[in-house]
Amino acid sequence: MHVSRSDDEMYAVHLMPMCDDDQIRVELHREKGLAVIEPGTGRPVRASGIQAAPAQTSWPQLSTPAAETAESQGEEIRMIAEMIPESFSHVVLVTGSRSWNDEQGMLSTFNDAWRDWGAESITRPVLISGHCPEGADAMAERLWRAAGFEIRTFPADWSAHRKRAGFQRNQEMVDAAQVFRETGAQVLCTAFLDLCRKPGCPQQGREQLMPHTPGHFSHGTIHCRDRARAAGIETATVIHPSLAPF
């Protein structure tokens, strides 16, 4: 880890890599809160819970039910093929920890996407989700359903792929997002990071957050995030507020 301090009280902390070629730099400004800077781009990564949500949001609060979600991967693949001619205007791929419980942080992330895209251009948004019954997937699906938006789910097939099921599902979600992007949709991957809480995890001694501080992010979320970035998909990384400022 390298820590530097400038005259304006800014601390730049270079943390341990999250994967082979990935680092996160944290900038802590006195009286300004926390900003996490994506390496290579200089763009800020969102740190949930650090900055107050904007007073005005564009995330709709509707009650119209969303289209029913498919319950098998085979159905999803067929549905994608059928939807290509009409396409979606905007796609959000959600990945996140099973322990994610910060709804305000997730809403703020979706609001940021709406502002970046321009609400008037969002004619048919869709959520791509791994359909985990708890944590980030379940929360995102609930929020999108309440807003009246469509959802496409990719539940992991644990019986067929066993330990690799989650990673296989992640790749299928990224592949689907790429298909939609090729039809002209704007695509964003939102990764909601919390600590790995797997009992007896063989990597529990990793110091991914800070040196001499054991802890690392959930494996599935990091994998999906990395696959999305490798595919050239814009990615918003949101860190659970309990972990900031690390």
Side-chain angles (χ1 to χ4, degrees):
M1 180 183 75
H2 172 69
V3 181
S4 61
R5 177 180 178 181
S6 63
D7 293 337
D8 62 352
E9 301 295 333
M10 184 187 77
Y11 295 83
V13 184
H14 297 266
L15 305 183
M16 302 296 288
M18 292 199 297
C19 62
D20 291 341
D21 60 351
D22 190 13
Q23 286 185 323
I24 282 183
R25 190 180 82 214
V26 180
E27 293 184 356
L28 181 59
H29 296 257
R30 187 176 63 181
E31 299 179 355
K32 292 184 180 180
L34 182 74
V36 183
I37 309 302
E38 193 73 65
T41 66
R43 297 181 60 184
V45 173
R46 299 173 179 86
S48 174
I50 300 304
Q51 296 178 344
Q56 299 296 326
T57 63
S58 54
W59 179 258
Q61 299 297 322
L62 306 179
S63 58
T64 305
E68 294 184 359
T69 58
E71 296 298 333
S72 72
Q73 293 173 347
E75 290 176 345
E76 283 295 341
I77 294 172
R78 288 192 296 273
M79 290 177 67
I80 289 173
E82 294 171 358
M83 289 185 294
I84 287 176
E86 54 184 346
S87 185
F88 292 100
S89 65
H90 295 78
V91 178
V92 172
L93 190 165
V94 64
T95 181
S97 172
R98 293 172 181 265
S99 60
W100 188 269
N101 59 5
D102 180 22
E103 181 174 308
Q104 185 56 52
M106 183 173 286
L107 278 171
S108 295
T109 302
F110 293 158
N111 282 325
D112 288 345
W114 251 241
R115 283 191 293 272
D116 291 345
W117 283 333
E120 67 283 352
S121 69
I122 304 174
T123 57
R124 189 185 176 193
V126 66
L127 178 75
I128 293 179
S129 169
H131 202 43
C132 179
E134 56 187 354
D137 288 2
M139 180 179 292
E141 289 181 31
R142 175 172 54 80
L143 293 174
W144 276 65
R145 190 173 294 110
F149 296 150
E150 297 177 66
I151 304 169
R152 298 293 176 261
T153 61
F154 289 75
D157 189 345
W158 298 102
S159 61
H161 303 294
R162 299 186 181 278
K163 292 183 178 181
R164 298 293 302 174
F167 298 137
Q168 177 73 21
R169 178 265 316 281
N170 290 344
Q171 187 61 58
E172 291 172 357
M173 291 197 299
V174 171
D175 290 344
Q178 288 183 280
V179 169
F180 292 133
R181 184 174 59 179
E182 290 172 359
T183 69
Q186 295 290 314
V187 178
L188 174 69
C189 172
T190 55
F192 297 93
L193 298 179
D194 198 1
L195 290 181
C196 169
R197 304 184 188 278
K198 181 180 179 181
C201 176
Q203 299 184 45
Q204 61 184 354
R206 292 180 64 190
E207 299 173 355
Q208 197 174 67
L209 304 182
M210 288 186 69
H212 314 300
T213 304
H216 59 282
F217 295 117
S218 53
H219 304 264
T221 304
I222 290 295
H223 176 265
C224 190
R225 172 183 179 271
D226 289 347
R227 297 315 303 158
R229 294 178 66 194
I233 295 173
E234 181 182 358
T235 303
T237 301
V238 188
I239 301 173
H240 196 278
S242 65
L243 303 181
F246 307 144

